């Protein structure tokens, strides 16, 4: 996997992949861990406290922002837990990675993506508090704008995004093309998710809410990381993935992988959106903005203190009788793996393992 830093003073992509010291190429990616049979999202914790982000919606899909600690209870493996913190996260800083697919399937919709993403950045970033970065990817992930609070820099990076290797590019039909050119003709969705976390979001403060906004059709053709590895890596690093599934309807190769985009979003505590037309992109971004402002942080120290590496299932329930009648929908990660007393899990990569 490669991470290429953008050149700040030019719109053109670098002729060769460069690896500057400030953005080192990751040499490790996460290995898979056991997944619950029912597909629940899980995380690993390295401290005594377990933290959960909770989003609640009513029957009409509106966010509920008036929950109190006494309105809910948390159970771990069926045992009620003593919650030490329950608070709205509306004021907590947000760190975003805007991750944009710039492979050939995005050529006809990229302009609409840029417009909607620019409006989103203007709306969601609070001056001096929130930060964001811009990354783009084909089979190579490129850091177009490192994490910054400067809206103008972000907007400039979004404006410079472009599809360089289009469907009719002869390089992509050349069997003798270099490895780098071949990668630029492909799409590495899951590699890019891991890289955006590893190189950008994982370096933000612990209490920062980390989120990826992924614009792609989810049709991965080159990643060495499998989707469930990317999910596990995101969850371990407290990163929520919001997917916006979009592609050129007339692009003949591949397809819109709704299943994959839903999977990585729902298992990390986010949501996937599938605009029918590019003109619907602003509505998807608006829903992500609303959710980021409507979350609760729940923290507790598990009653089961065993460091046995076991899967702990988590359930959050509404206890307020009045709210129970409203049949609220709760969104949260539904489990985690406890620490293992034998030592830290290094999650060594499998660099030669492909999804397909």
């Amino acid at each position: 996997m490669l991470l290429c830093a953008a050149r700040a003073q030019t719109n053109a992509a670098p002729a060769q992949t460069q690896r500057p010291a400030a953005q080192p190429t990751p040499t490790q990616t996460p290995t898979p861990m056991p997944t619950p049979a029912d597909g629940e999202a899980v995380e690993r914790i390295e401290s005594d406290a377990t933290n959960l982000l909770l989003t609640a919606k009513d029957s009409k899909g509106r966010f509920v922002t008036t929950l109190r600690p006494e309105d809910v209870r948390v159970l771990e493996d069926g045992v009620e837990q003593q919650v030490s913190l329950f608070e709205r996260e509306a004021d907590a800083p947000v760190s975003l990675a805007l991750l944009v697919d710039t492979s050939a399937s995005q050529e006809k919709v990229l302009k609409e993506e840029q417009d909607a993403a620019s409006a989103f950045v203007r709306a969601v970033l609070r001056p001096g508090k929130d930060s964001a970065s811009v990354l783009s990817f084909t089979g190579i992930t490129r850091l177009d704008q490192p994490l910054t609070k400067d809206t103008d820099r972000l907007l400039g990076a979004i404006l410079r995004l472009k599809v360089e290797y289009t469907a009719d590019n002869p390089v992509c039909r050349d069997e003798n093309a270099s490895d780098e050119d071949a990668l630029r003709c492909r799409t590495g969705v899951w590699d890019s998710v891991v890289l955006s976390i590893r190189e950008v979001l994982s370096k933000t403060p612990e209490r920062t809410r980390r989120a990826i906004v992924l614009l792609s059709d989810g049709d991965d053709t080159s990643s060495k990381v499998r989707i469930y590895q990317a999910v596990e890596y995101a969850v371990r690093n407290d990163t929520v993935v919001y997917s916006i599934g979009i592609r050129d309807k007339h692009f003949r190769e591949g397809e819109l992988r709704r299943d994959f985009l839903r999977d990585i979003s729902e298992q990390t505590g986010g949501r996937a959106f599938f605009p029918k037309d590019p003109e619907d992109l602003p509505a998807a971004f608006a829903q992500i903005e609303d959710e980021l402002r409507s979350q609760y942080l729940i923290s507790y120290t598990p009653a089961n203190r065993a460091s046995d590496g076991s899967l702990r299932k988590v359930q959050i329930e509404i206890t307020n009788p009045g709210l129970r009648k409203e049949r609220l929908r709760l969104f949260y990660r539904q489990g985690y793996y406890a620490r293992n007393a034998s030592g830290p899990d290094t999650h060594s990569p499998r660099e030669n393992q492909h999804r397909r």
Side-chain angles (χ1 to χ4, degrees), residues 30-46:
T31 56
M33 67 180 182
T35 302
D38 58 1
E40 291 177 331
V42 296
E43 67 177 333
R44 291 182 185 270
I45 58 171
E46 302 299 335

Side-chain angles (χ1 to χ4, degrees), residues 100-118:
V100 184
D101 185 342
T102 53
S103 64
S105 65
Q106 306 298 305
E107 181 183 8
K108 303 300 184 182
V109 295
L110 184 60
K111 178 60 168 61
E112 287 82 1
E113 292 178 24
Q114 290 172 303
D115 292 343
S118 296

Side-chain angles (χ1 to χ4, degrees), residues 29-35 42 44 224-233 236 337 345-351 353:
T29 52
T31 56
M33 67 180 182
T35 302
V42 296
R44 291 182 185 270
K224 294 181 178 180
V225 172
R226 297 187 178 188
I227 182 173
Y228 67 90
Q229 293 175 300
V231 168
E232 187 253 350
Y233 198 69
R236 279 198 300 116
Y337 282 94
D345 185 352
T346 58
H347 301 280
S348 300
R350 295 184 180 181
E351 291 291 343
Q353 186 175 44

